[in-house]
Amino acid sequence: MNDHLQGIQTGDATTTEAPGGVSVPDVPSQRFYVTTPIYYVNDIPHIGHAYTTVIADALARWHRLLGEETFFLTGTDEHGLKIQRVAAANGISPQEQADRTSERFREVWKLLDISNDDFIRTTEPRHTRSVQALLQQIHDNGYIQKRRYSGPYCVACEAYYSDAESQEHGGNCPVHGTPLEHFEEDNYFFKLSEFTQPLLEWYEANPHAVQPEGKRNEALGLIRQGLEDISISRTSISWGIPVPWDPGHVFYVWYDALTNYITAIGYGADPERFETWWPSVHHLLGKDILRFHCVYWPAMLLAAGVEPPHQLNVHGYLLVGGKKMSKTRLNQIFPADLVNGNEKLGFAAFGVDGFRYQFLRDNPFGPDGDFSYEGMLTRYNADLANNLGNLLSRVATVVASKCGGIGPAPQIASPLAQVAKEVYDETAAAWAATAPSRALEATWRLIREANSHLEAHEPWKLDPGPAVDAVLGDALEVLRIVAVLASPALPTTTAEIWQRIGLSGTAAEQRLPEAASWGLYPGGLRVTKGAALFPRLS
Ligand code: MSP
């Protein structure tokens, strides 16, 4: 077999052999488990939900490219008073409310090409079993106690606040700004106070568990203040999972919800499967739910004798007009309006990959970021239409006019080979650090350099021959590498690029790092121009 064919699929060959004859292991060397928060079913999916889910999806796709066995979980959080009240307001049962809205999430994830391996709903029997098993274990270990509770409560947060917090905010919820309600009931309490020291030790021993650094400090701050025991059950509502040792109580929605991450991998049902995936999990979450994930969740697991999660990646809000999106502010934006366009709102159709690119590329992971339609338009036209789209269409046009439509092979000693190597290293490091925006910025450097290379040599002005072949071969090789590196962000358009440059299969089926090696585009393949990948939008 020709050296250039090794390690990739072309029109006529498939191999799992890497360059130099090193075989690529079919058995994954590592596992990658990634989760999104599970979304409440009181609200339909908006771009804030999509933001987290697209990032999780791109991470899962990147790890699949690395040949890792990957499990990507998302789902819906369906119990609690908030859902019960919305259902009542809509004149339907909570289950109907959950069924309808959960379906909306599934539809939108399908629209956005989300490749989740499982979709968990907290009303499923498998989840009831797992929640009851976890909480029973914590109870058996002596960390749960019954007490009478009264205090200010926010239904939107599904959380009690301390009197001090309530006073500080004038009787309003610190997150929502709406009046807190006074609740009083018999509750089971989780003895969180006993976990202050174990949590501090866990943070000390796992300095990278909470990312980024600022969010780790925020979590540590909460723990260092000293932790109070927390109420984990309710008698005031019935829409929840019954406490197994006292079925008059249901678990408070957060303890039910957090457990989803272990239900889906078989906690309480399939110990072998559970051991396979836990604790090497990467949770993605917004900063509003840091306390639950970075304090309560590891403490619950420690109390049950289970290791806390490997990594918690906390991101900021996606703001619209400087404000967090909410139904009451009427500033929600829905994914389909940006993917398919919405004339009434004056939105162009960015397509699925245009949408995904914006939310992966625009905001660095961590701080808040403001969504701007104009910003999205500018970025789409610059990065996708001009840089990537133009590279493909220019190359295909010149291959048609100067090479009879057959793409030449790259030069091994191309000046772009070194750039490709650096770009791969930077891209890989950024994905490993959960920094999609940096990863795409790195990948786009290769596109820009290839465009400059074309402009410097102007093959369209030359007569057919080796000089033209060299420049076009290099540009085709860049397109091949970019198709692989950008496939987590742009699954559809990179599959299209792959085909148009004559390769068979998909970019996403390739394996890194082998597929990023310079010189694998074999040449001799038919290159097709086709319609603009990313039509310019105005
Ligand atoms: N159901 C809980 C999570 C339980 S996880 C065990 C919940 N649901 S939520 O639907 O309200 O929010 C889910 C996630 O979406 C949170 O991480 C939240 O930060 C994120 N976002 C919701 N709106 C958002 C923005 N405007 N911007 C960024 N993320 C946003 O909380």
Side-chain angles (χ1 to χ4, degrees):
M1 182 189 290
N2 180 321
D3 270 359
H4 295 302
L5 291 174
Q6 291 183 346
I8 59 168
Q9 289 192 339
T10 69
D12 58 7
T14 306
T15 176
T16 52
E17 219 172 73
V22 183
S23 62
V24 182
D26 287 330
V27 181
S29 55
Q30 276 195 39
R31 291 195 170 82
F32 182 75
Y33 174 24
V34 62
T35 68
T36 72
I38 48 170
Y39 302 105
Y40 284 131
V41 290
N42 62 324
D43 209 358
I44 56 172
H46 56 60
I47 57 171
H49 305 119
Y51 171 70
T52 317
T53 310
V54 168
I55 293 175
D57 181 64
L59 280 169
R61 288 175 184 270
W62 177 263
H63 284 266
R64 289 188 198 117
L65 279 177
L66 292 175
E68 295 176 17
E69 195 181 345
T70 300
F71 186 65
F72 167 22
L73 177 69
T74 188
T76 41
D77 188 355
E78 307 187 353
H79 288 130
L81 191 50
K82 181 169 21 197
I83 311 301
Q84 203 175 303
R85 285 196 178 164
V86 168
N90 291 336
I92 54 179
S93 70
Q95 187 65 60
E96 228 176 311
Q97 171 74 30
D99 290 348
R100 283 187 197 174
T101 315
S102 183
E103 188 53 33
R104 299 291 297 270
F105 276 93
R106 254 179 297 203
E107 279 164 14
V108 83
W109 300 153
K110 200 162 162 214
L111 171 73
L112 297 179
D113 231 339
I114 300 302
S115 63
N116 53 302
D117 297 293
D118 196 351
F119 185 99
I120 188 161
R121 300 185 54 187
T122 55
T123 51
E124 291 171 310
R126 61 171 171 163
H127 185 61
T128 300
R129 261 200 312 274
S130 164
V131 169
Q132 291 183 334
L134 180 73
L135 274 300
Q136 183 71 55
Q137 188 64 55
I138 300 175
H139 184 252
D140 294 350
N141 291 352
Y143 294 115
I144 291 179
Q145 202 178 47
K146 194 172 181 176
R147 294 181 209 159
R148 183 131 195 101
Y149 195 83
S150 72
Y153 190 84
C154 171
V155 175
C157 294
E158 294 281 15
Y160 277 109
Y161 284 93
S162 66
D163 289 326
E165 282 170 313
S166 169
Q167 268 161 21
E168 193 185 323
H169 295 90
N172 293 323
C173 167
V175 175
H176 294 91
T178 44
L180 293 164
E181 299 178 44
H182 184 82
F183 273 36
E184 182 159 359
E185 57 185 340
D186 267 346
N187 281 182
Y188 282 98
F189 273 73
F190 169 50
K191 296 183 188 169
L192 181 65
S193 58
E194 295 191 17
F195 289 88
T196 306
Q197 200 49 37
L199 281 173
L200 288 174
E201 283 163 19
W202 178 69
Y203 269 82
E204 177 82 9
N206 298 279
H208 305 298
V210 174
Q211 305 267 13
E213 181 80 16
K215 298 292 192 284
R216 168 188 153 86
N217 292 336
E218 203 175 317
L220 271 172
L222 291 171
I223 300 165
R224 287 197 185 115
Q225 276 169 22
L227 299 171
E228 287 178 24
D229 295 346
I230 43 176
S231 143
I232 58 160
S233 75
R234 302 281 180 271
T235 47
S236 48
I237 59 167
S238 53
W239 183 237
I241 295 182
V243 170
W245 61 88
D246 190 350
H249 290 245
V250 298
F251 285 115
Y252 164 51
V253 62
W254 265 103
Y255 304 99
D256 157 348
L258 289 162
T259 309
N260 91 86
Y261 302 131
I262 58 175
T263 301
I265 51 165
Y267 181 81
D270 183 346
E272 205 180 312
R273 180 149 182 262
F274 180 65
E275 296 288 312
T276 305
W277 291 104
W278 197 263
S280 70
V281 66
H282 296 249
H283 292 313
L284 300 189
L285 54 128
K287 66 179 186 184
D288 50 339
I289 53 179
L290 177 146
R291 180 162 57 126
F292 297 100
H293 282 80
C294 303
V295 182
Y296 298 179
W297 179 227
M300 281 169 72
L301 291 164
L302 287 171
V306 176
E307 256 191 79
H310 174 70
Q311 197 167 76
L312 296 134
N313 295 288
V314 188
H315 63 73
Y317 293 147
L318 184 65
L319 306 171
V320 173
K323 297 250 170 8
K324 192 175 181 214
M325 267 176 289
S326 81
K327 234 194 285 197
T328 41
R329 286 202 189 100
L330 295 174
N331 63 347
Q332 291 181 323
I333 298 177
F334 302 104
D337 291 331
L338 290 167
V339 171
N340 303 323
N342 180 322
E343 238 172 86
K344 258 206 326 244
L345 298 172
F347 288 177
F350 289 87
V352 173
D353 284 358
F355 180 95
R356 294 172 59 101
Y357 184 77
Q358 165 67 15
F359 292 100
L360 289 164
R361 175 64 185 86
D362 204 45
N363 297 323
F365 190 94
D368 288 353
D370 212 348
F371 171 78
S372 129
Y373 179 78
E374 290 68 30
M376 181 170 182
L377 201 60
T378 307
R379 188 177 283 293
Y380 170 95
N381 283 327
D383 294 5
L384 298 179
N386 289 355
N387 271 313
L388 180 55
N390 244 351
L391 179 63
L392 177 69
S393 80
R394 265 170 156 180
V395 169
T397 304
V398 188
V399 167
S401 64
K402 307 281 175 178
C403 312
I406 303 299
Q411 312 168 82
I412 296 305
S414 166
L416 290 172
Q418 180 57 24
V419 180
K421 188 186 169 320
E422 289 165 15
V423 160
Y424 174 70
D425 291 345
E426 283 165 32
T427 302
W431 283 115
T434 320
S437 147
R438 245 198 306 128
L440 293 172
E441 193 181 356
T443 303
W444 255 250
R445 182 183 148 211
L446 185 55
I447 303 173
R448 276 198 308 275
E449 300 255 1
N451 273 320
S452 306
H453 191 64
L454 281 176
E455 276 149 26
H457 291 85
E458 299 186 307
W460 44 86
K461 289 191 179 162
L462 304 177
D463 289 331
V468 168
D469 289 356
V471 181
L472 291 176
D474 288 357
L476 283 160
E477 176 60 344
V478 164
L479 282 165
R480 185 192 67 79
I481 294 175
V482 164
V484 178
L485 299 187
S487 64
L490 312 173
T492 308
T493 39
T494 52
E496 182 66 25
I497 294 172
W498 196 258
Q499 272 187 359
R500 289 201 198 171
I501 63 174
L503 296 164
S504 72
T506 65
E509 284 163 11
Q510 308 310 306
R511 286 293 162 266
L512 291 172
E514 292 80 9
S517 313
W518 184 264
L520 296 180
Y521 183 72
L525 304 178
R526 178 153 295 280
V527 174
T528 326
K529 181 146 192 285
L533 268 194
F534 300 102
R536 273 192 74 83
L537 298 175
S538 52

